[in-house]
Amino acid sequence: MRADRRWSLVARYALLVLLAALVLFPIYITVVNSLLTPARMGNRPPALAPSNPQWHNYSAAWSDGHLGRYLANSFIVSISITVGQVITAILAAYAFAFLRFPLRGLLFVVFLATLMIPGEVTFFTNVDTIRSLGWYDSYAALIVPFLATGFGAFLLRQSFLTVPPDLRDAAALDGYGHWRFMAKVVVPLARPAIGAMSLFAFLGAWNQYLWPLVATKDERLRTVQIGLKSLATSQVDKIPVTYAGTVLAFVPIAILLLLFSKQLVRGLMAGAVKG
Amino acid sequence: MGRVAFTHVTKRFGDVVAVDDLTVVVNDGEFFVLLGPSGCGKSTALRMVAGLEEVTEGVIEIGDRAVNRVPPKDRDIAMVFQSYALYPHMTVRRNIEFPLRTREVPRAERNTLVEHAAEILGLDTLLDRKPSQLSGGQRQRVALARAIVRQPEVFLMDEPLSNLDAKLRASTRVELVALQRTLATTVVYVTHDQVEAMTMGDRIAIMFEGALQQVGAPQDVYDKPANRFVAEFIGTPPMNTFAARLVSPDTLAIGAGTLPLDGVVADPATSEVIAGVRPEHLVVTSNDAGSEPGDAATTDGLVGTVTLVESLGHERHTRVRLDTGTELVVRQPASAVALVVGRGVRLRAKAHDVHLYDQASGIRLARDV
Amino acid sequence: MRRRKERQPYRLRETGLAYLMLLPAMVVFGVFVFYPFAKNFQLPFFSQPPKFGAISRPARYVGWKQWSDVLQSNDFRNTLLVTLKFTLITVPVGIALGLLLAVAAHQKLRGITVFRTIFSSTVATSIAVASVIFFSLTNPIVGFWQLRIGHGGITESPTWALPAICVVTVWQSLGLSFIVMSAGLQSIPDDLLEAARVDGAGAFSVFRNVTFPLLTPTLFFAFVVGSISSFQAFAQVDLLTQGGPLDHTRTLAYSIYKTSIEAGGPSDENKAAVFAIGLFVVVLILTVLQLRLERRVNYAR
């Protein structure tokens, strides 16, 4: 009865293909539509593949739609936030993991407490703060409030705690001070955790919507997410460009995640363990 | 009927042959052990009987029917996993009764069977606990209770003792054999531990690299290993094997020494062979002692020097390096005279205790006596 | 071995160093997290009158009245209702679909990795990207699905706007949901499933009796995290419906935004603070719930 095995296999693959199509369909159609003319878009039956790819939609999105600038802004902001978070997290995690000092437990709880206060609860007061600092509508406004993270400190502390105590003793005997120990031993050992944390920080920063919306208004500072808002239009002749812009916003992250999928899962699971 | 038969069973994973043309029959009511080192295919063979792996070629029968296409739940088998595979979210009672619930056995009957199984295995006070609250030994019993509760035809056990500490392992071995006798079911038992195999099995089947090496009662396999692998695998310390040359039908030459042979080698392809003698069959005498009276058919024996003496309390393991360079182990009673390292000695054995193996294939060379 | 005298300055140095290392993060937290958080408890006691020309007038103390006004207001009630509806739809549906995908992708088939990559792909989309895709795809004139409801697109229909937002949200979260559920499935030891098969369970029975119960910790985690996230939903509302039509999609985060910031309109941080505290309370309850029940739900090995 090889036949029934074959049928079962066909059925399984069929289900998988169906599910994959359902998941991927919106993205696929977006790409297709980004290469259509407005006229073709409206015709029925709807196009499932572009017969005459309008590549100029992409250059239109990039320059007229300013997507090039928006992507650059998002990139600058996200990288800065990531670097900042990594540095502050390493410092904090080192203190929590290796140093003994009064109120250590309490301060760690304070760090974790920040995870319970979402941005939606603090943003409007922060806008006032930013204004009074004269940072409104600047990169500083987009970057500085996010230079530290409780999640990063938690993740890295966990990782630092796995450094074998023998290594610490050996380093002490070799005369390593804290800074040398941190730079030469701890950080290299914690590379996977730092990698996972960086990915998360970058992703979180890249996807920010509310804060860039309220903290800046100059079009020159706009990030990709807010840029999409200005691209989104009901004007029929502009819609293919909107699609192109969406694809441009999506592709860099898709590539990033493909390259670093392991770090992604790792970071997510750390969250699950923490509970 | 609890008979299990493999007929030319082969299992391939891609290009890798895990089980190679296995043909063997497990008799109803037998405690049958599949023994071999890691990767020899014994677990795969067991899993094919369970239906957890598909058979690439050949036929597996349980009772009188071929079960290649039959799903595990319809094969009337039970399995004890190495890790016990207890359901962590269920109590002991629910774990044991699970095979009954899946078969929709009515509650009253279920309770009776569960309690009976629990009693046999001494679990009656633990029925409401969860696996995480049990010790390793207790968990193993739960796994066993779950297996026996349905009274299937065949029990399959995949290294069930390997996660227990040594002392518990020894006592559980005894209990398992007693259990099987009481229940009178067929057991197919996989292990890499030859002590378990020798003490528990009615028959043992030794496997290596997917192929069956030998099947037989423990003592038969011990006394007459079918090939070099079995000879060196069974027995602690393992059989000494070394290169030798047939100089005449009743004499084997090894370096400067000789060993006697009885019988005639049926068809000697060449005169270069592999000889084997178990450590307990070698007798050591120091060089100036000469041959001992009372030993039938001895010659001058093997020539060597003592390199190490290990005293185990009840016996002594003496290592001797032959003039050919090979090192042999000799088991001596504690009462024997202790030898000094560096001493020249001679090793003698009875003709009957000398095994011969083909140099190339390792297969036992038959001797007509 | 250090003598007592030397130990003291060492310990002091460590403390100093530790505080130094914690300083940058603490400053950021203090200014941008704890200060605004605390201010939310002060703001509702005051009312900020509109500017007199260019001159800002001092805030007036109004006591508890503003608290009760806001909490009893239609806006607050409606917002909570909308957000609750939104959560009750998106979270269970998202988890169920993620689980479906995870189960489908858990088989040992050739090329299954391709499918796993596809199933997690929406993790690369942001909610803004997903919203714009949806917006364009449902354009009544040229969209792939030309959804015309009444006079306009789906986002202008009072009945269908919230479901539309839900669809966008669920789709965007599929990737993450799949990854989490997959990890949960993979944490179930294979030999448990094999034991269940040998014990006589068919495919559905294995799922019901073994897989699903052992997934409970993962499901629980997904539920809590998903709920917290859905109470924070903002971008999809801002992009697609701006809280309308007729406030049918006015989620909690959007209410806070509208009430506090909206340029050119009556922006009122004092009232928004009450909403913000409401959001915080929800997050707090969900987090505590998870911490408390997590132990009960986990099967200690």
Side-chain angles (χ1 to χ4, degrees):
Chain A
M1 266 161 280
R2 284 247 52 145
D4 74 342
R5 270 211 66 217
R6 199 165 298 146
W7 270 117
S8 149
L9 220 62
V10 165
R12 288 171 201 257
Y13 275 110
L15 176 68
L16 284 170
V17 168
L18 177 68
L19 290 173
L22 287 174
V23 169
L24 217 47
F25 190 70
I27 298 178
Y28 174 72
I29 288 297
T30 300
V31 173
V32 166
N33 273 300
S34 68
L35 295 170
L36 297 179
T37 63
R40 180 65 191 89
M41 265 173 40
N43 290 345
R44 305 284 94 183
L48 284 174
S51 47
N52 184 13
Q54 307 285 311
W55 297 104
H56 67 86
N57 285 331
Y58 280 90
S59 44
W62 185 271
S63 38
D64 301 334
H66 303 300
L67 217 57
R69 185 185 313 156
Y70 300 158
L71 283 168
N73 283 333
S74 280
F75 192 73
I76 293 172
V77 169
S78 301
I79 284 283
S80 309
I81 290 180
T82 304
V83 169
Q85 284 193 357
V86 167
I87 294 177
T88 59
I90 289 179
L91 290 176
Y94 187 89
F96 285 127
F98 297 110
L99 299 178
R100 301 211 295 275
F101 53 96
L103 303 178
R104 181 173 69 174
L106 179 69
L107 284 173
F108 188 61
V109 169
V110 165
F111 266 68
L112 290 182
T114 65
L115 295 172
M116 283 207 293
I117 302 175
E120 293 79 9
V121 165
T122 56
F123 72 91
F124 52 87
T125 305
N126 283 335
V127 171
D128 293 339
T129 309
I130 293 288
R131 272 190 212 271
S132 56
L133 283 170
W135 285 349
Y136 183 76
D137 225 359
S138 70
Y139 283 113
L142 290 173
I143 297 173
V144 174
F146 303 100
L147 287 178
T149 159
F151 180 67
F154 169 78
L155 197 62
L156 294 190
R157 172 181 170 273
Q158 265 196 330
S159 173
F160 287 6
L161 285 176
T162 65
V163 171
D166 303 343
L167 272 182
R168 283 154 55 184
D169 296 337
L173 282 171
D174 283 339
Y176 273 24
H178 286 292
W179 297 101
R180 276 258 285 267
F181 181 59
M182 183 197 311
K184 292 221 175 292
V185 180
V186 177
V187 168
L189 280 178
R191 236 198 297 248
I194 295 179
M197 188 213 143
S198 308
L199 183 67
F200 260 81
F202 188 86
L203 214 52
W206 186 275
N207 287 340
Q208 276 184 336
Y209 186 87
L210 176 57
W211 181 252
L213 185 66
V214 299
T216 64
K217 65 179 193 316
D218 192 336
E219 194 257 343
R220 280 169 300 171
L221 279 172
R222 204 169 283 170
T223 62
V224 149
Q225 310 298 334
I226 310 300
L228 282 174
K229 183 174 179 179
S230 57
L231 258 190
T233 172
S234 296
Q235 282 183 281
V236 170
D237 52 322
K238 294 245 181 58
I239 291 191
V241 177
T242 306
Y243 280 117
T246 312
V247 173
L248 285 176
F250 165 77
V251 165
I253 296 296
I255 294 178
L256 185 74
L257 287 180
L258 271 176
L259 289 175
F260 296 107
S261 52
K262 224 188 330 164
Q263 279 79 344
L264 177 71
V265 180
R266 182 201 208 91
L268 285 170
M269 288 303 97
V273 167
K274 154 204 168 224
Chain B
M1 288 263 92
R3 163 187 173 274
V4 177
F6 291 83
T7 311
H8 295 298
V9 172
T10 301
K11 173 67 182 173
R12 268 185 273 270
F13 292 104
D15 291 331
V16 177
V17 180
V19 175
D20 192 1
D21 196 25
L22 176 65
T23 301
V24 73
V25 174
V26 177
N27 301 315
D28 184 24
E30 201 174 19
F31 197 115
F32 191 85
V33 180
L34 284 171
L35 172 69
S38 302
C40 70
K42 55 193 194 293
S43 285
T44 311
L46 191 75
R47 287 166 63 85
M48 285 195 282
V49 178
L52 296 171
E53 298 285 357
E54 291 221 350
V55 178
T56 316
E57 280 168 37
V59 179
I60 294 187
E61 290 163 60
I62 299 181
D64 309 319
R65 53 173 188 154
V67 295
N68 288 33
R69 296 265 157 239
V70 177
K73 60 185 169 79
D74 298 326
R75 292 192 185 200
D76 202 16
I77 52 166
M79 186 153 169
V80 179
F81 292 79
Q82 189 174 0
S83 68
Y84 317 139
L86 299 183
Y87 307 116
H89 57 296
M90 298 187 192
T91 58
V92 169
R93 180 188 292 272
R94 292 281 290 238
N95 261 282
I96 299 176
E97 79 177 355
F98 191 72
L100 301 174
R101 281 179 59 225
T102 57
R103 289 174 176 89
E104 291 166 11
V105 173
R107 184 188 303 210
E109 199 185 328
R110 263 190 351 233
N111 284 339
T112 320
L113 289 168
V114 169
E115 265 145 42
H116 185 56
E119 205 186 303
I120 295 181
L121 285 151
L123 294 168
D124 24 324
T125 53
L126 300 172
L127 283 172
D128 293 314
R129 299 232 192 130
K130 292 242 181 91
S132 58
Q133 299 165 299
L134 303 176
S135 70
Q138 289 168 333
R139 288 185 205 172
Q140 205 241 12
R141 286 162 189 276
V142 176
L144 281 170
R146 185 174 69 187
I148 72 177
V149 77
R150 248 196 337 113
Q151 295 155 349
E153 298 273 18
V154 180
F155 281 109
L156 305 173
M157 301 199 184
D158 192 355
E159 310 211 41
L161 303 184
S162 56
N163 287 347
L164 299 174
D165 63 67
K167 199 158 156 225
L168 204 52
R169 213 179 297 164
S171 60
T172 313
R173 246 172 35 214
V174 175
E175 288 171 19
L176 265 182
V177 175
L179 186 66
Q180 188 255 353
R181 298 265 157 78
T182 316
L183 298 174
T185 41
T186 313
V187 170
V188 182
Y189 186 100
V190 161
T191 181
H192 62 276
D193 182 324
Q194 46 159 320
V195 174
E196 280 173 29
M198 296 287 285
T199 57
M200 298 170 90
D202 290 328
R203 281 193 299 152
I204 56 182
I206 297 131
M207 290 180 70
F208 181 59
E209 287 179 350
L212 180 66
Q213 305 295 311
Q214 186 171 3
V215 171
Q219 193 64 50
D220 296 339
V221 173
Y222 187 83
D223 291 336
K224 268 222 182 103
N227 60 33
R228 192 175 168 182
F229 173 77
V230 176
E232 289 169 343
F233 190 77
I234 301 271
T236 317
M239 183 189 286
N240 296 299
T241 54
F242 41 92
R245 198 166 16 98
L246 268 177
V247 294
S248 75
D250 56 0
T251 315
L252 208 58
I254 303 101
T258 60
L259 282 177
L261 287 177
D262 59 356
V264 177
V265 175
D267 185 23
T270 112
S271 55
E272 302 294 330
V273 295
I274 300 288
V277 185
R278 290 214 180 268
E280 64 268 22
H281 295 147
L282 285 169
V283 180
V284 194
T285 49
S286 46
N287 260 338
D288 21 276
S291 73
E292 263 134 14
D295 288 331
T298 57
T299 59
D300 283 337
L302 303 170
V303 178
T305 334
V306 176
T307 58
L308 183 64
V309 177
E310 294 174 313
S311 174
L312 274 77
H314 59 287
E315 66 183 23
R316 213 175 280 140
H317 292 178
T318 305
R319 292 185 178 269
V320 175
R321 177 170 293 126
L322 299 182
D323 55 347
T324 58
T326 325
E327 200 172 72
L328 306 186
V329 180
V330 183
R331 284 172 66 188
Q332 292 182 291
S335 55
V337 175
L339 292 166
V340 177
V341 171
R343 199 82 146 108
V345 291
R346 295 203 87 105
L347 300 176
R348 294 187 173 82
K350 297 206 183 103
H352 176 67
D353 293 328
V354 178
H355 305 258
L356 290 182
Y357 297 100
D358 182 272
Q359 196 183 51
S361 66
I363 296 178
R364 180 184 193 76
L365 293 173
R367 302 211 297 269
D368 310 318
V369 177
Chain C
M1 310 301 136
R2 288 188 194 89
R3 285 176 289 149
R4 286 209 77 178
K5 255 200 274 186
E6 286 170 284
R7 192 182 286 183
Q8 273 182 342
Y10 183 78
R11 186 63 82 85
L12 262 177
R13 260 194 288 131
E14 257 193 27
T15 308
L17 182 63
Y19 286 155
L20 183 67
M21 287 176 150
L22 293 179
L23 192 65
M26 289 303 287
V27 166
V28 172
F29 289 154
V31 173
F32 294 106
V33 180
F34 294 118
Y35 163 68
F37 173 70
K39 191 134 187 264
N40 283 332
F41 291 92
Q42 182 214 35
L43 280 169
F45 287 105
F46 292 84
S47 179
Q48 179 75 49
K51 280 203 193 148
F52 194 65
I55 306 169
S56 13
R57 298 206 300 229
R60 238 177 47 229
Y61 179 78
V62 289
W64 290 97
K65 183 166 182 304
Q66 188 161 234
W67 284 93
S68 62
D69 281 346
V70 174
L71 287 172
Q72 287 170 4
S73 67
N74 279 333
D75 188 14
F76 192 76
R77 205 171 307 152
N78 177 60
T79 300
L80 281 184
L81 218 69
V82 167
T83 316
L84 208 63
K85 249 197 282 184
F86 176 72
T87 306
L88 286 176
I89 298 177
T90 57
V91 174
V93 171
I95 291 180
L97 289 178
L99 183 59
L100 172 67
L101 291 177
V103 168
H106 196 53
Q107 310 172 74
K108 291 191 186 73
L109 289 176
R110 207 123 49 109
I112 198 71
T113 339
V114 172
F115 288 103
R116 295 181 67 86
T117 311
I118 293 179
F119 289 167
S120 30
S121 63
T122 72
V123 114
T125 62
S126 64
I127 190 69
V129 164
S131 304
V132 172
I133 289 180
F134 181 84
F135 187 68
S136 315
L137 285 183
T138 57
N139 182 292
I141 306 174
V142 291
F144 187 84
W145 297 295
Q146 287 158 359
L147 291 182
R148 176 170 274 120
I149 311 224
H151 295 295
I154 193 170
T155 55
E156 290 156 45
S157 148
T159 356
W160 294 107
L162 187 62
I165 303 261
C166 291
V167 167
V168 176
T169 312
V170 166
W171 179 79
Q172 195 272 331
S173 69
L174 274 181
L176 185 61
S177 188
F178 165 75
I179 292 176
V180 171
M181 288 298 142
S182 263
L185 275 183
Q186 278 165 354
S187 72
I188 299 176
D190 278 339
D191 58 358
L192 279 187
L193 302 172
E194 289 178 346
R197 280 168 63 196
V198 172
D199 282 343
F204 281 126
S205 183
V206 171
F207 187 80
R208 194 162 57 86
N209 287 300
V210 183
T211 313
F212 192 81
L214 290 176
L215 270 180
T216 321
T218 312
L219 290 169
F220 188 65
F221 170 74
F223 174 77
V224 172
V225 169
S227 301
I228 292 179
S229 168
S230 85
F231 267 85
Q232 296 172 284
F234 176 80
Q236 56 270 62
V237 175
D238 186 58
L239 274 168
L240 293 173
T241 59
Q242 293 86 47
L246 304 174
D247 292 338
H248 273 84
T249 60
R250 196 177 162 97
T251 59
L252 188 50
Y254 196 75
S255 278
I256 302 177
Y257 166 76
K258 257 307 182 61
T259 315
S260 67
I261 290 275
E262 206 200 4
S267 73
D268 199 332
E269 286 185 6
N270 306 84
K271 296 209 177 79
V274 179
F275 283 81
I277 293 177
L279 176 57
F280 169 71
V281 166
V282 170
V283 172
L284 183 67
I285 291 176
L286 286 169
T287 311
V288 167
L289 192 76
Q290 182 179 28
L291 287 174
R292 278 293 162 81
L293 292 186
E294 203 235 351
R295 203 159 297 168
R296 197 106 63 85
V297 151
N298 239 315
Y299 306 104
R301 291 306 189 89

